[in-house]
Amino acid sequence: MSSSLAATDTTGVPPGLDEEASSLRLAVMRFSRRLRAERAVDTMSDGQIAVLGWLRLNGPHTLGELAERERVSAPSMNRTVNCLEEWGYITRTPDDIDRRKVNIALSDAGREVITETARLRDAWLEASLSEFTPAERVILAQAAALLSRIAER
Amino acid sequence: MSSSLAATDTTGVPPGLDEEASSLRLAVMRFSRRLRAERAVDTMSDGQIAVLGWLRLNGPHTLGELAERERVSAPSMNRTVNCLEEWGYITRTPDDIDRRKVNIALSDAGREVITETARLRDAWLEASLSEFTPAERVILAQAAALLSRIAER
DNA sequence: TATTGTTATACTCTATAACTATA
DNA sequence: TATAGTTATAGAGTATAACAATA
């Protein structure tokens, strides 16, 4: 493959980029599978949690916006939202201006449950982070921002 | 919630650990979903790719070992392996010593396809990485190592 | 009797296609 | 005619329970 050190040449694509991508992909996929395995303590799916978390931080959105945000189809997001509505965690309100649209917002119960659920799902991760040095945790925090940026390309 | 700056106190659990865990979890899950969405160019699932990749790097393993490694049930792994066998990507060989066990190994076709598949799946990620600065890529490489360490706890 | 692998069955999440209503 | 949301249906992937073969 390619060399790994003394990469002062930044003209073209730097050497080792294929291996960087591969190791990052493997690490993230392994980590996400591990994280998913820890979720057994609650009954909500990743997609449901992602939606509630997004609504909590960014306010009401339409179904199409949520589907695009989570990169799933509209019917798939609709099913997720149906569950959340049935459980009383979100509300649907037809848009005043464009009556085709439906505004989806977090309910009080939803706000409670996303906070508590996130806490439960983070327990394992927090325990792991607490064993890292401050410097390592800074790296992970910076990486989180970079990963988010990549995901939103 | 907790404050965000001037965290010079490292005596106990540092402040903001819950938020660090949460943002890292959200970023990784979002990133992994995005990465999964890019896989449409081929027809193999994450689980299948993970098995072939593991066999390539670590040699033949039994069904139970693969199931434990990927943290899925034995029937689920059996189904994955059935597909891979049907496609000619792995071989099953009864163990000589313990006849209950079956050794699962990569075939030549499997070795080819895992190399090519990984290349395809990395294409999008490589394109993303190439737009980052060297410093940012260093952070991601370090984070990959840390995430792997967490995942294997 | 315990363990390894397998089969039977059901549930969840996902997608595409078709339908309704609004613009 | 185009768009936002929804419903119908089917395809993967996962799990638990039950079974067969071997130790």
Side-chain angles (χ1 to χ4, degrees), chain A residues 22-83:
Chain A
S22 183
S23 74
L24 180 60
R25 172 174 60 80
L26 288 171
V28 167
M29 295 308 280
R30 194 177 305 138
F31 178 87
S32 66
R33 252 178 285 135
R34 182 76 170 84
L35 189 52
R36 168 187 267 171
E38 289 296 323
R39 131 200 97 81
V41 289
D42 59 42
T43 58
M44 304 192 67
S45 72
D46 292 334
Q48 289 159 356
I49 290 166
V51 167
L52 293 186
W54 179 251
L55 291 178
R56 175 171 64 157
L57 294 178
N58 304 98
H61 284 75
T62 67
L63 185 79
E65 288 166 348
L66 291 178
E68 186 178 7
R69 168 72 198 172
E70 297 302 323
R71 296 185 184 268
V72 297
S73 65
S76 183
M77 179 54 69
N78 192 51
R79 180 174 182 151
T80 298
V81 169
N82 282 344
C83 288

Side-chain angles (χ1 to χ4, degrees), chain A residues 10 14 17-18 20-22 24-25 27-35 46 49-50 69-71 118 122 124-126 128-132 136-137 139-140 142-144 146-151 153, chain B residues 14 17-18 20-22 24-25 27-35 46 50 69-71 118 122 124-126 128-132 134 136-137 139-140 142-144 146-153:
Chain A
T10 57
L17 197 141
D18 56 337
E20 285 177 36
S22 183
L24 180 60
R25 172 174 60 80
V28 167
M29 295 308 280
R30 194 177 305 138
F31 178 87
S32 66
R33 252 178 285 135
R34 182 76 170 84
L35 189 52
D46 292 334
I49 290 166
R69 168 72 198 172
E70 297 302 323
R71 296 185 184 268
D122 284 342
W124 165 78
L125 186 48
E126 285 185 33
S128 301
L129 288 180
S130 70
E131 292 179 9
F132 283 132
E136 288 171 331
R137 284 170 49 194
I139 289 169
L140 286 171
Q142 291 173 325
L146 295 175
L147 291 177
S148 292
R149 210 206 296 173
I150 295 179
R153 254 166 49 101
Chain B
L17 197 142
D18 56 338
E20 284 177 36
S22 183
L24 179 59
R25 171 175 60 79
V28 167
M29 295 307 281
R30 195 176 305 139
F31 178 87
S32 67
R33 253 177 285 134
R34 181 73 170 86
L35 189 52
D46 292 334
R69 169 70 199 173
E70 298 302 321
R71 296 181 187 269
D122 283 342
W124 165 77
L125 186 49
E126 285 185 34
S128 300
L129 288 180
S130 69
E131 292 179 9
F132 282 130
E136 288 171 330
R137 285 170 48 194
I139 288 170
L140 286 172
Q142 292 173 325
L146 295 175
L147 291 177
S148 292
R149 210 206 295 172
I150 297 178
E152 289 175 23
R153 256 165 47 104

Side-chain angles (χ1 to χ4, degrees), chain A residues 61-134:
Chain A
H61 284 75
T62 67
L63 185 79
E65 288 166 348
L66 291 178
E68 186 178 7
R69 168 72 198 172
E70 297 302 323
R71 296 185 184 268
V72 297
S73 65
S76 183
M77 179 54 69
N78 192 51
R79 180 174 182 151
T80 298
V81 169
N82 282 344
C83 288
L84 295 174
E85 185 180 32
E86 198 174 305
W87 298 337
Y89 296 153
I90 58 100
T91 58
R92 277 193 237 236
T93 316
D95 191 277
D96 285 335
I97 298 169
D98 186 340
R99 302 298 294 265
R100 293 174 303 181
K101 294 184 178 178
V102 176
N103 291 118
I104 295 160
L106 212 54
S107 69
D108 288 342
R111 193 171 304 274
E112 258 181 57
V113 86
I114 182 56
T115 303
E116 175 64 6
T117 298
R119 193 188 67 73
L120 288 171
R121 294 197 61 169
D122 284 342
W124 165 78
L125 186 48
E126 285 185 33
S128 301
L129 288 180
S130 70
E131 292 179 9
F132 283 132
T133 67

